[in-house]
Amino acid sequence: MRKVDSSSLALLSAAALALPAFGATQPTERTLAVSTSVYQEDDLERSRLAFGDVERFKVKTNQFYVSAPMGRDWSGSVRYDNEAMSGASPWGTSVSADGQTDVIMSGASIDDSRNGLDVSLTRYFDQSSFSVSLGYSGEDDYHSRSVGMTFERDFFNRNTTLALSGSYSTDEITPTDAALYGRVPYKEKRSRSFYAGLTQLISPVAVLNVGLGLTSRRGFLSDPYKLRDVRPKQRLEKTVTASYRHYLDWRQTSLRFDYRYFWDSFDVRSQTLSASFMQNPRSDIAWGPTVRYYAQSEASFYRPFDQYALPVTQAQSSDFRLSSYGAWSYGIKARYQMGAIEFNGSLERYESDEGLGLDESVSAHPALVRFNVVSLGLEFKF
Amino acid sequence: MAMGSPCSIKVPGPTERGQLAANVCIVEAHRFESVYSRYTHDSVVAQINAAAGLKPVRIDAECRAIFNYAAVCYELSEGLFDVTAGVLRRIWTKTRTQRPTEAELAPVLGLIDFNLIEISDDSVFLPRVGMEIDLGGVVKEYAADALAQKVQSLGIDSAVINLGGDIYCVGSRTVDEGWQIGIVDPRGGAPVASVQLVNAGLATSGGYERFLEIDGKKYSHILDPQTGYPVDSLASVSVIADQTVVAGSAATIALLKGEAEGLKWLEALGCPYLAIGKTGQVMKGEGKDSEKIVSSETSGASANRQFKGFFNVKANR
């Protein structure tokens, strides 16, 4: 006679979990989404302009996304995006008569577009999934190809999910007008990234996620458009992330907090804290504010002014993104559901300032950006 | 109504949200009914039965997984849980006035054996003319689980799916309160227990609320597929498990095993259960993993009061 014990329950449960409803991490609906957004940087302060145009970057982005289940165990998705960029970008800095930093800008002639395509394929198993993705991004002067893999595994009745992913990309840079401006004609860089994350359901209303990331970049990491920008040929970046999501009053309201700590071999350290709040006043409407704080320290080779007297092999950069600065951004998101179609939109304002940086700031960097992003989208499930 | 039973879904909060989930559940419940019911002519079950002894019928992956599940139940119950046992209803009809003889039962018993079914990856064949399958004992409970998954995929993480007493509780009712479910004595009267469930399934199997009376003796409708005779079983068994389908088959197997063996089976399985004996005595097991039950309270006026507005579960088989 067969011995009945808790292993019988395990057998029954395993057979039950093989029923298709429980393999339900696989999407059961097709999703089609389109969105458009406009990113507009504020003009540069005219008094801090040494040369060029005050009108800074504007990027219009259109995105198209489709995902669909394929058979019982597979799903696939394709994302295409197109960006049109215009405006001027900083070429470098110089010291003004009053000892301040002035910015040398390009003319407003930059007019470029970028096209990106990402294709991913996922295979679902009982308790896990495995996906492979291929990506391509191309501009006149920049081509990037990437391949990535992600493995996810559920544990403890899906209360815990482990995610492991890795990716590899190769980028080719062929700066425009290289001969005219004395830019490098062709350079490459390669990046490898690894990520391990754990998501834990703490209670029916609380979800915690922690992750560790490692990215190694090798090759040409400088900005070929700047007059003098020499960066090390390797960069190792490490990140620790944590996010916590909490649902309040009958799941009508959710709170989300995210924290990210970043440090790298350029000696840049940064931290990001963000919080968002989403409310469903009605079943078809959701909206809420978001706020984000960011602060970083400067790179070891950051110089407020370009130093042409230094040997060309010595690392230096006046890129404001490598300076000590911080930023606040705040915005609002909203969604409206009408049948199978969801309309969504968001507004965001970002303001960076050297006074918010992690280091004692040596001097103001007038090129630090302030921008607005407006985006609108719709998503259709069928 | 779907699958021959009253069904309901309860979602806290705004009614539109609940309505959307309910609409999805209704469509999905009707799909299960149209695919697996014995009574609709174009269901896959009806096709398999009609083709018994003639030809295999194509099945999809979901149906295949249900057969696999039924096979595990068959094996664990040592042949008691057998989806081919429904043919016994031909003998035990409502109009019956005499206890059937063994000679009468023998040809029907020859049609009962799960092992005879020829199951391949994409087809099922009943090799003997007259064989029948009934997946009702698996599909209704599985449908509660499937609907719960569907509701969750819509972003609703708090709901109760009740398919005629086979219940799945998605999430909890409030942050610190599970869904309160009352368990009713199948022979009527006040609820005998109340449990609070979080992400758990509850199924009830009863033997005594439908019965046959022959020569003054009551026979339960729980039939032993090996002897063809009714089992002298528990009046009702309710089981709580991570999946409603597991709870349902655990409860059904307990009934099929008869009172003493049934209770042993439930204890050994380690799921929380509540069983009502033939004489009305209530027996409970907390199970090895009782975290699904936030609280349980047996009988009394307080349990009765708490049931207002919640489900009163009656044995429905």
Side-chain angles (χ1 to χ4, degrees):
Chain A
M1 184 166 164
R2 173 183 266 281
K3 188 171 166 290
V4 177
D5 54 24
S6 53
S7 70
S8 308
L9 181 61
L11 263 173
L12 268 182
S13 302
L17 288 174
L19 292 164
F22 299 107
T25 42
Q26 184 197 13
T28 51
E29 289 163 321
R30 283 166 290 231
T31 302
L32 205 152
V34 288
S35 69
T36 181
S37 70
V38 178
Y39 163 98
Q40 173 78 65
E41 292 178 355
D42 291 4
D43 286 356
L44 191 77
E45 205 180 316
R46 193 163 287 277
S47 63
R48 297 264 65 97
L49 180 74
F51 172 83
D53 207 292
V54 290
E55 194 182 311
R56 299 187 67 178
F57 248 44
K58 178 174 184 171
V59 183
K60 290 183 194 168
T61 308
N62 294 308
Q63 273 197 347
F64 173 82
Y65 171 79
V66 60
S67 80
M70 299 189 304
R72 272 175 38 84
D73 300 323
W74 295 84
S75 79
S77 73
V78 176
R79 183 186 302 276
Y80 167 76
D81 58 305
N82 166 269
E83 287 180 353
M85 295 158 275
S86 61
S89 71
W91 268 355
T93 57
S94 66
V95 58
S96 68
D98 58 1
Q100 299 278 319
T101 307
D102 281 351
V103 184
I104 303 162
M105 296 286 285
S106 67
S109 57
I110 297 175
D111 217 339
D112 198 1
S113 74
R114 188 185 75 81
N115 288 293
L117 188 70
D118 285 288
V119 179
S120 101
L121 193 64
T122 304
R123 169 78 161 92
Y124 297 86
F125 302 93
D126 286 350
Q127 311 267 326
S128 58
S129 68
F130 183 76
S131 51
V132 178
S133 59
L134 290 173
Y136 171 78
S137 170
E139 297 168 56
D140 278 356
D141 59 347
Y142 205 98
H143 296 273
S144 171
R145 291 168 189 85
S146 64
V147 56
M149 278 180 283
T150 301
F151 173 74
E152 283 193 14
R153 170 88 163 83
D154 295 323
F155 296 95
F156 313 121
N157 279 331
R158 301 216 166 139
N159 288 331
T160 307
T161 304
L162 172 75
L164 297 171
S165 64
S167 67
Y168 177 75
S169 70
T170 59
D171 298 5
E172 294 170 359
I173 306 142
T174 47
T176 50
D177 300 326
L180 183 63
Y181 292 103
R183 296 165 181 156
V184 292
Y186 175 83
K187 287 286 178 185
E188 288 181 355
K189 80 172 173 202
R190 290 165 205 283
S191 310
R192 291 171 183 82
S193 286
F194 302 96
Y195 170 82
L198 206 59
T199 304
Q200 176 67 43
L201 198 69
I202 302 172
S203 80
V205 293
V207 184
L208 179 72
N209 169 275
V210 288
L212 277 172
L214 196 64
T215 299
S216 151
R217 300 180 202 279
R218 282 163 192 266
F220 186 74
L221 305 178
S222 311
D223 183 337
Y225 290 99
K226 295 206 188 296
L227 300 176
R228 180 67 79 88
D229 190 87
V230 183
R231 306 184 192 188
K233 291 192 161 43
Q234 286 187 24
R235 187 179 192 181
L236 186 64
E237 303 167 2
K238 296 165 208 169
T239 52
V240 176
T241 53
S243 96
Y244 177 73
R245 188 183 286 233
H246 198 100
Y247 299 89
L248 302 166
D249 32 301
W250 303 59
R251 320 298 175 88
Q252 303 305 299
T253 306
S254 68
L255 279 169
R256 189 188 164 125
F257 301 96
D258 290 284
Y259 177 78
R260 175 178 182 267
Y261 186 77
F262 169 98
W263 71 108
D264 72 4
S265 59
F266 284 6
D267 269 0
V268 175
R269 286 169 291 118
S270 77
Q271 51 188 347
T272 315
L273 248 169
S274 60
S276 69
F277 172 84
M278 206 72 178
Q279 207 193 5
N280 290 64
R282 271 173 32 189
S283 65
D284 52 352
I285 292 177
W287 75 279
T290 59
V291 59
R292 188 167 67 244
Y293 163 78
Y294 175 82
Q296 77 166 46
S297 67
E298 67 181 28
S300 56
F301 51 87
Y302 172 76
R303 307 268 169 177
F305 318 115
D306 297 322
Q307 315 250 318
Y308 299 102
L310 290 174
V312 288
T313 49
Q314 187 171 335
Q316 64 163 306
S317 175
S318 65
D319 190 332
F320 66 91
R321 287 167 294 194
L322 295 173
S323 72
S324 169
Y325 74 97
W328 278 102
S329 62
Y330 26 90
I332 187 164
K333 288 185 294 189
R335 294 197 302 259
Y336 173 64
Q337 188 83 35
M338 202 172 75
I341 301 176
E342 177 193 283
F343 298 89
N344 52 59
S346 67
L347 293 172
E348 189 190 347
R349 172 70 185 163
Y350 171 97
E351 296 190 343
S352 55
D353 190 289
E354 67 279 354
L356 294 168
L358 289 178
D359 297 329
E360 297 274 318
S361 195
V362 276
S363 64
H365 199 312
L368 282 172
V369 284
R370 294 168 172 228
F371 62 78
N372 297 320
V373 188
V374 182
S375 64
L376 284 173
L378 60 88
E379 194 176 287
F380 177 50
K381 287 194 192 298
F382 58 106
Chain B
M1 279 299 265
M3 288 179 281
S5 312
C7 302
S8 71
I9 164 171
K10 221 181 178 79
V11 178
T15 49
E16 294 94 329
R17 241 159 98 89
Q19 194 57 54
L20 170 72
N23 293 350
V24 168
C25 285
I26 290 164
V27 171
E28 191 67 1
H30 282 120
R31 181 185 77 82
F32 274 108
E33 180 159 44
S34 65
V35 176
Y36 297 107
S37 168
R38 281 186 304 124
Y39 307 108
T40 50
H41 290 289
D42 50 354
S43 77
V44 68
V45 169
Q47 288 174 35
I48 290 168
N49 291 342
L54 298 172
K55 57 176 189 195
V57 171
R58 280 186 76 82
I59 56 166
D60 65 3
E62 181 181 68
C63 189
R64 172 72 223 250
I66 289 170
F67 271 100
N68 282 350
Y69 183 79
V72 173
C73 292
Y74 177 81
E75 197 189 327
L76 284 177
S77 66
E78 297 178 302
L80 289 173
F81 189 110
D82 191 330
V83 296
T84 63
V87 285
L88 283 169
R89 270 186 298 259
R90 294 180 196 159
I91 302 287
W92 293 91
T93 57
K94 277 182 188 163
T95 51
R96 186 146 202 111
T97 52
Q98 278 187 331
R99 186 182 156 91
T101 61
E102 278 175 30
E104 217 177 324
L105 282 166
V108 174
L109 290 177
L111 299 174
I112 301 173
D113 187 352
F114 185 85
N115 282 332
L116 289 176
I117 309 177
E118 290 169 22
I119 305 169
S120 79
D121 272 345
D122 59 358
S123 73
V124 163
F125 176 49
L126 306 181
R128 294 184 186 168
V129 177
M131 270 185 91
E132 264 181 30
I133 53 156
D134 180 359
L135 297 178
V138 175
V139 168
K140 194 152 65 69
E141 292 89 338
Y142 168 55
D145 293 323
L147 263 50
Q149 294 280 341
K150 198 86 188 164
V151 161
Q152 284 171 296
S153 76
L154 296 171
I156 289 171
D157 37 23
S158 177
V160 175
I161 314 292
N162 182 356
L163 299 184
D166 293 323
I167 293 171
Y168 190 88
C169 298
V170 177
S172 55
R173 191 175 140 256
T174 65
V175 171
D176 40 37
E177 249 183 87
W179 286 99
Q180 187 147 21
I181 309 292
I183 298 170
V184 175
D185 187 325
R187 295 160 304 176
V192 291
S194 130
V195 287
Q196 284 198 18
L197 300 181
V198 176
N199 289 326
L202 174 128
T204 301
S205 257
Y208 265 74
E209 111 271 32
R210 275 191 278 153
F211 55 84
L212 277 171
E213 204 166 330
I214 298 169
D215 292 338
K217 186 170 163 39
K218 283 182 178 173
Y219 289 92
S220 113
H221 81 284
I222 305 292
L223 302 168
D224 184 330
Q226 285 149 1
T227 64
Y229 287 109
V231 181
D232 199 16
S233 62
L234 292 155
S236 146
V237 178
S238 301
V239 176
I240 292 162
D242 285 344
Q243 298 90 20
T244 314
V245 66
V246 170
S249 25
T252 304
I253 293 170
L255 280 187
L256 286 162
K257 280 179 175 281
E259 184 156 332
E261 286 299 314
L263 287 170
K264 272 191 218 162
W265 153 262
L266 289 170
E267 279 298 327
L269 211 53
C271 289
Y273 71 88
L274 184 137
I276 300 172
K278 279 172 294 185
T279 54
Q281 75 275 29
V282 175
M283 290 151 284
K284 283 204 310 181
E286 294 296 329
K288 289 174 184 143
D289 169 28
S290 54
E291 68 188 38
K292 294 283 172 201
I293 309 175
V294 178
S295 82
S296 108
E297 193 174 334
T298 314
S299 77
S302 64
N304 220 343
R305 192 176 61 245
Q306 286 174 14
F307 290 147
K308 270 194 186 146
F310 297 102
F311 300 105
N312 287 334
V313 185
K314 283 198 175 133
N316 58 287
R317 253 171 240 109

